[in-house]
């Protein structure tokens, strides 16, 4: 490693960086990479945890590469300690990159060639579990879909530049590649298929079906004159009377220039849907046939080579995008289950009604770092917590779980004011190297006094202030200047604030997703919250979310914790 380094250097890519984050979040290894290898070296468009200068360079020569063996063998490479492996022990990745344990899986291009790897690296010997290897394998397949989708887009761009006579065709390819690249969810992909069928292929009507457990289900279709609605029901793949079944069971695209040609091949379709041309295209991905798209034109038409090429590209783009979206939705579902599991049940406390709600962002990866908690303490008081770890992805969710667990343990162990506990949290957060950043409110609600009143002591680490709805129906934000965010400095000033609550009062703790909106300052959002607290059902966190951050407006995770004094 010298200043005269002249090897390959790469650039960070947001999508490949996301795959690296997912690999690190699921496996927990210090280093995760999306690497592409050629005869000169390797570059890392997705990388987390590499030491410098390699992290900045995002590339190495082959002398520092384990991934080259994944590519050359087109097979996973899994080692517990590279120093014990003959062909690895002299590799410079061991001393320079601290690569001891390694698990890498190949990435494939459109031709099925291995071109890189998705890998996890540990600086200590490690036995990789079957579950960790299964996750890495699944992520590598999803990343391969991204590689292939980009390659299709690049192929379309090259066609546009190289052939003037194919200019329109190339523009359509580019349009489809960009449209499907922007489709994140399954619904996005289905919407894009229907839109591109009209825009790129000129069809009048479109329907989309998916394969599930040996049944073809039409998940998108329009009411068509002359076609009974019952014909859009589920179709067993054993029912060979229909061209849609033929398309998805291995007979390939079913393309007919007019209704008569379709009826001649499939008599069961005679008289259905008019005389126009029709095409049913299988959506085939590396994992198998995912479904089919049906296109119907108003009039008969010849299916020339250019249109067939457009249809083939439409089916290819749609299949890759649908495969990727389905995999990511499965991962999001797993993430939601894990995140929900980290939000423990709320305690039952005499004289208090504690309720909470969590709603994920309606865009993006749908997981994040918002959390809430409540603990009945041994001294009879109740600890109330809410926080927001920076980020809106799996990494943020993982950090949230660790930070929340730290705060729970510190709150239970040390009988100290909230500000002192937050100082301890800062010390632990930075001391163990977690370095999670974000905001939080920690509050202690004392047992009821003779008059039923309870003192609330609270401290804020850069978090929006609590709101109290008094029993007379008036709401207000609690006064108190927030201190520094978590994760920036040990021993930061943490002040405690005090207020007395009475029976009938409602305390509202929340994260900023409830009040923040684009092009609006926080003061306006806080005023809207105070006004809304006075009008919705008291102590109902879901009513607040529906009123202030419905899914159509929600761009951030939202957590709400309410405490009603009895």
């Amino acid at each position: 490693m010298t200043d005269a380094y002249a090897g390959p250097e790469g650039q960070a890519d947001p999508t490949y960086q996301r795959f690296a984050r997912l690999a690190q979040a699921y496996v927990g290894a210090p280093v995760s990479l999306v690497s592409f290898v050629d005869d000169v070296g390797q570059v890392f468009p997705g990388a987390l945890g590499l030491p410098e200068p390699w992290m900045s360079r995002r590339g190495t020569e082959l002398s520092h590469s384990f991934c080259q063996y994944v590519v050359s063998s087109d097979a996973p490479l899994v080692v517990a300690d590279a120093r014990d492996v003959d062909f690895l022990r002299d590799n410079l990745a061991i001393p320079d990159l601290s690569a001891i344990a390694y698990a890498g899986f190949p990435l494939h291009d459109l031709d099925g060639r291995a071109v890189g790897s998705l890998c996890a690296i540990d600086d200590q010997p490690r036995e990789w579990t079957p579950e960790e290897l299964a996750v890495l394998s699944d992520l590598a397949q999803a990343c391969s879909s991204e590689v292939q989708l980009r390659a299709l887009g690049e192929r379309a761009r090259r066609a546009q530049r190289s052939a003037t006579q194919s200019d329109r065709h190339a523009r359509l390819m580019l349009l489809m590649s960009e449209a499907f690249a922007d489709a994140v969810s399954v619904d996005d992909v289905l919407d894009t298929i229907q839109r591109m069928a009209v825009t790129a292929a000129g069809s009048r009507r479109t329907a989309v079906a998916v394969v599930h457990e040996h049944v073809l289900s039409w998940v998108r279709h329009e009411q068509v004159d002359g076609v009974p609605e019952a014909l859009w029901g589920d179709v067993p793949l054993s029912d060979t009377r229909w061209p849609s079944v033929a398309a998805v069971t291995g007979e390939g695209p079913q393309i007919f220039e007019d209704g008569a040609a379709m009826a001649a091949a499939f008599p069961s379709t005679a008289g259905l849907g008019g005389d126009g041309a029709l095409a049913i295209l299988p959506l085939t991905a590396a994992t198998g046939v995912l479904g089919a798209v049906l296109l119907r034109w108003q009039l008969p038409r010849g299916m020339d080579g250019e249109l067939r090429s457009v249809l083939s590209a439409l089916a290819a783009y749609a299949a890759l995008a649908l495969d990727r979206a389905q995999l990511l939705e499965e991962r999001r579902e797993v993430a939601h289950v894990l995140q929900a599991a980290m939000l423990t049940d709320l305690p039952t406390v005499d004289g208090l009604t504690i309720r909470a709600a969590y709603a994920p962002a309606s865009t993006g990866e749908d997981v994040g770092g918002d959390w809430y908690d409540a603990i009945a303490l041994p001294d009879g008081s109740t600890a109330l917590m809410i926080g927001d770890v920076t980020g809106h992805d799996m990494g943020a969710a993982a950090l949230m779980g660790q930070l929340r667990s730290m705060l729970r343990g510190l709150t239970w162990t040390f009988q100290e004011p909230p500000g002192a506990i937050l100082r301890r949290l800062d010390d632990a957060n930075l001391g163990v190297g977690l370095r999670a950043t974000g905001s939080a409110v920690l509050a202690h609600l004392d047992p009821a006094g003779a008059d039923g009143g309870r003192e609330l002591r609270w401290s804020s680490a850069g978090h929006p202030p609590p709101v109290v709805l008094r029993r007379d129906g008036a709401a207000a934000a609690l006064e108190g200047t927030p201190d520094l965010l978590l994760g920036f400095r040990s021993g930061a000033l943490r002040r405690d604030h005090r207020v007395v609550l009475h029976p009938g009062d409602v305390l509202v703790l929340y994260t900023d997703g409830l009040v923040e909106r684009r092009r609006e300052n926080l003061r306006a959002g806080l005023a809207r919250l105070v006004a809304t607290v006075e009008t919705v059902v008291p102590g109902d966190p879901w009513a607040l979310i529906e009123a202030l951050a419905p899914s159509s407006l929600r761009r951030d995770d939202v957590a709400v914790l309410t405490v009603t004094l009895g």
Side-chain angles (χ1 to χ4, degrees):
M1 215 171 31
T2 68
D3 293 337
Y5 174 79
E9 296 188 14
Q11 298 291 328
D13 181 281
T15 300
Y16 293 131
Q17 194 72 12
R18 180 178 297 166
F19 279 106
R21 287 198 303 271
L22 286 169
Q24 188 180 71
Y26 277 110
V27 178
V31 176
S32 59
L33 303 174
V34 174
S35 171
F36 292 95
V37 181
D38 59 21
D39 294 336
V40 176
Q42 59 184 353
V43 294
F44 314 123
L48 289 174
L50 279 176
E52 293 293 346
W54 311 107
M55 190 67 200
S56 298
R57 290 173 177 167
R58 287 185 174 267
T60 74
E61 297 171 319
L62 292 179
S63 59
H64 292 70
S65 174
F66 287 5
C67 296
Q68 62 179 308
Y69 301 109
V70 177
V71 173
S72 62
S73 65
D74 192 11
L77 175 62
V78 180
V79 296
D81 192 331
R83 297 168 297 188
D84 297 333
V85 180
D86 289 341
F87 67 92
L88 293 178
R89 63 164 52 98
D90 295 326
N91 195 294
L92 295 181
I94 295 174
D96 290 349
L97 305 184
S98 298
I100 303 300
Y102 177 90
F105 289 78
L107 304 177
H108 296 98
D109 66 8
L110 280 172
D111 299 321
R113 297 175 302 180
V115 294
S117 74
L118 183 145
C119 67
I121 300 172
D122 206 321
D123 57 2
Q124 301 294 326
R126 175 173 180 162
E127 292 294 337
W128 305 94
T129 68
E131 292 78 12
E132 291 170 340
L133 297 178
V135 167
L136 290 174
S137 177
D138 287 347
L139 289 174
Q141 290 186 40
C143 194
S144 291
S145 294
E146 178 66 21
V147 173
Q148 296 164 15
L149 189 60
R150 293 186 181 203
L152 280 172
E154 183 58 29
R155 180 177 295 176
R157 293 178 180 86
R158 289 197 300 268
Q160 184 185 35
R161 293 190 296 266
S162 64
T164 303
Q165 69 273 22
S166 300
D167 184 63
R168 177 180 178 276
H169 177 72
R171 287 199 304 270
L172 291 176
M173 297 299 104
L174 181 60
L175 174 65
M176 286 192 290
S177 74
E178 292 178 341
F180 282 108
D182 290 337
V184 177
S185 68
V186 171
D187 281 340
D188 289 341
V189 174
L190 297 179
D191 290 342
T192 304
I193 291 173
Q194 293 184 291
R195 188 171 71 253
M196 289 298 103
V198 175
T199 303
S203 68
R204 183 184 181 188
R205 293 190 298 269
T206 308
V208 185
V210 297
V211 173
H212 180 65
E213 295 183 352
H214 306 293
V215 171
L216 192 66
S217 299
W218 292 99
V219 293
R220 293 288 180 90
H221 72 275
E222 303 173 42
Q223 183 63 45
V224 180
D225 293 340
V227 177
E229 184 67 20
L231 286 179
W232 296 111
D234 293 349
V235 183
L237 296 186
S238 58
D239 190 347
T240 58
R241 295 177 299 159
W242 306 103
S244 55
V245 172
V248 301
T249 54
E251 296 187 27
Q254 304 295 302
I255 300 177
F256 307 100
E257 295 187 355
D258 55 32
M262 180 174 64
F266 295 91
S268 60
T269 66
L272 298 178
D275 297 326
L278 179 139
I280 301 177
L281 314 171
L283 301 178
T284 306
T287 54
V289 180
L290 307 179
V293 55
L294 181 152
L295 300 89
R296 192 76 193 246
W297 288 265
Q298 184 173 6
L299 300 173
R301 63 175 298 170
M303 296 290 181
D304 57 23
E306 180 179 353
L307 178 57
R308 286 176 179 265
S309 178
V310 169
L311 296 178
S312 176
L314 172 62
Y317 282 120
L320 285 171
L322 184 59
D323 189 32
R324 180 181 63 176
Q326 287 178 338
L327 179 59
L328 291 178
E329 286 201 353
E330 290 174 4
R331 295 301 178 205
R332 281 196 291 268
E333 289 176 6
V334 171
H336 284 313
V337 171
L338 292 175
Q339 188 169 27
M342 288 188 286
L343 299 175
T344 52
D345 293 337
L346 296 172
T348 299
V349 179
D350 289 342
L352 301 179
T353 301
I354 305 174
R355 302 175 65 184
Y358 170 82
S362 58
T363 59
E365 291 192 312
D366 287 352
V367 293
D370 289 28
W371 54 275
Y372 60 81
D373 204 354
I375 306 173
L377 298 176
D379 64 359
S381 65
T382 303
L384 307 166
M385 315 167 196
I386 199 147
D388 182 1
V389 172
T390 304
H392 308 290
D393 55 19
M394 280 294 298
L399 289 175
M400 175 272 286
Q402 297 177 70
L403 194 70
R404 177 180 175 275
S405 296
M406 282 184 182
L407 184 54
R408 281 177 64 87
L410 292 170
T411 300
W412 179 265
T413 303
F414 298 99
Q415 303 299 310
E416 296 176 340
I421 298 297
L422 289 181
R423 282 195 297 273
R424 289 185 182 275
L425 179 63
D426 262 330
D427 293 342
N429 178 27
L430 297 173
V432 302
L434 184 61
R435 298 188 178 277
T437 60
S439 66
V441 165
L442 173 61
H444 287 177
L445 188 58
D446 289 344
D451 63 351
R454 299 172 184 257
E455 183 177 63
L456 179 76
R457 294 166 292 156
W458 59 282
S459 184
S460 171
H463 202 82
V467 170
V468 170
L469 174 66
R470 295 295 184 177
R471 54 189 172 185
D472 63 3
L478 295 183
E479 296 182 359
T481 303
D483 298 320
L484 184 67
L485 291 166
L486 296 170
F488 287 95
R489 187 173 69 245
S490 294
L493 175 65
R494 299 295 181 199
R495 290 168 290 195
D496 290 306
H497 312 282
R498 299 172 183 269
V499 67
V500 175
L501 303 182
H502 300 281
D505 291 347
V506 180
L507 174 68
V508 180
L509 304 178
Y510 56 94
T511 55
D512 57 12
L514 187 67
V515 294
E516 284 187 342
R517 292 186 184 175
R518 293 179 180 176
R519 296 182 293 277
E520 181 180 83
N521 61 41
L522 183 60
R523 187 182 300 276
L526 185 56
R528 184 169 52 249
L529 169 60
V530 169
T532 304
V533 166
E534 295 179 345
T535 60
V536 300
V537 178
D540 185 347
W542 282 115
L544 287 173
I545 291 176
E546 289 301 318
L548 295 170
S551 58
S552 59
L553 297 177
R554 194 162 59 242
R555 297 297 180 266
D556 195 359
D557 306 318
V558 177
V560 178
L561 179 69
T562 65
V563 182
T564 303
L565 279 66

